[in-house]
């Protein structure tokens, strides 16, 4: 009888021990916030592009070019000699300004000093970085940037607010080729 009791206790002990089960979360999050954010951003981009296209339609004095990078531009001064455009690491020196789509100055050329920039090695808002890549030395170009190509959701934390599309007139003064030889 004793053996039977020990055997039943042993079987009961083995059966009652099981591994812990994972608990289900109390709340489950869905992707609704992300989906709402995507829809909101699509509406913002569509509204800004509509506003830019209206400006282009109303301006018969300039020939606008649509960039595959998501902005529009026209030339004031164009170099037709076939000079080189800046490449990764080249040092460019340029002047620029920033205005609203309504034409109000945000930063004038006088407020923004001549900028020296190492191509793709320093911080610069994406639209201007991509715009400089299509320019040649001595050219002046006006760019129309939707907010996602300018300062986006955060603005510049000074004069440019959230989701502000901008117009920028840029003059590329000088391109210096990257110095690959450390002995020079």
């Amino acid at each position: 009888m004793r053996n039977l009791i020990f055997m039943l206790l042993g079987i009961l002990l083995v059966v009652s021990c099981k591994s812990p089960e994972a608990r289900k979360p109390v709340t489950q999050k869905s992707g609704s916030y992300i989906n709402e954010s995507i829809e909101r951003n699509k509406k913002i981009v569509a509204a800004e592009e509509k506003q830019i296209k209206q400006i282009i339609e109303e301006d018969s004095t300039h020939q606008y070019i649509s960039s595959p990078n998501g902005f529009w531009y026209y030339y004031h001064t164009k170099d037709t000699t076939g000079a080189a455009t800046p490449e990764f690491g080249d040092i460019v020196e340029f002047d620029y300004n920033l205005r609203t789509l309504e034409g109000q100055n945000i930063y004038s050329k006088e407020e923004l000093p001549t900028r020296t920039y190492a191509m793709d090695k320093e911080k610069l808002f994406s639209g201007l970085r991509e715009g400089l890549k299509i320019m040649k030395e001595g050219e002046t170009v006006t760019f129309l940037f939707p907010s996602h190509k300018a300062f986006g959701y955060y603005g510049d934390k000074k004069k440019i607010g959230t989701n502000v599309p901008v117009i920028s007139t840029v003059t590329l003064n000088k391109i210096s080729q990257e110095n690959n030889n450390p002995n020079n």
Side-chain angles (χ1 to χ4, degrees), residues 82-98:
T85 57
E87 296 180 12
F88 178 82
D90 288 348
I91 307 299
V92 295
E93 191 176 287
F94 64 96
D95 294 304
Y96 70 112
N97 67 0
L98 293 170

Side-chain angles (χ1 to χ4, degrees), residues 52 56 59 62-78 127 130-136 139-146 166-170:
I52 289 171
I56 292 170
D59 184 0
H62 299 105
Q63 182 179 354
Y64 287 84
I65 300 165
S66 176
S67 166
N69 294 315
F71 57 86
W72 293 260
Y73 62 99
Y74 65 86
Y75 286 91
H76 294 275
T77 309
K78 185 171 181 165
E130 293 163 357
L132 286 167
K133 290 178 185 179
I134 63 173
M135 294 180 71
K136 298 174 185 170
E139 290 184 333
T140 300
V141 178
T142 294
F143 296 97
L144 286 77
F145 298 117
V166 296
I167 297 174
S168 182
T169 300
V170 181

Side-chain angles (χ1 to χ4, degrees), residues 75-175:
Y75 286 91
H76 294 275
T77 309
K78 185 171 181 165
D79 181 353
T80 58
T81 64
T85 57
E87 296 180 12
F88 178 82
D90 288 348
I91 307 299
V92 295
E93 191 176 287
F94 64 96
D95 294 304
Y96 70 112
N97 67 0
L98 293 170
R99 301 185 313 267
T100 65
L101 291 184
E102 293 78 24
Q104 298 168 332
N105 265 340
I106 301 172
Y107 294 105
S108 67
K109 283 189 179 187
E110 292 74 33
E111 291 177 89
L112 298 170
T114 297
R115 176 91 189 259
T116 301
Y117 169 70
M119 292 299 296
D120 295 327
K121 289 187 172 185
E122 298 176 39
K123 276 186 97 174
L124 190 65
F125 70 88
S126 69
L128 186 53
R129 184 175 60 242
E130 293 163 357
L132 286 167
K133 290 178 185 179
I134 63 173
M135 294 180 71
K136 298 174 185 170
E137 196 171 292
E139 290 184 333
T140 300
V141 178
T142 294
F143 296 97
L144 286 77
F145 298 117
S147 65
H148 67 277
K149 286 295 177 180
F151 294 90
Y153 179 76
Y154 294 103
D156 74 342
K157 298 189 171 126
K158 295 175 189 164
K159 292 184 176 183
I160 300 173
T162 299
N163 296 323
V164 176
V166 296
I167 297 174
S168 182
T169 300
V170 181
T171 300
L172 183 54
N173 302 320
K174 184 178 180 183
I175 302 173

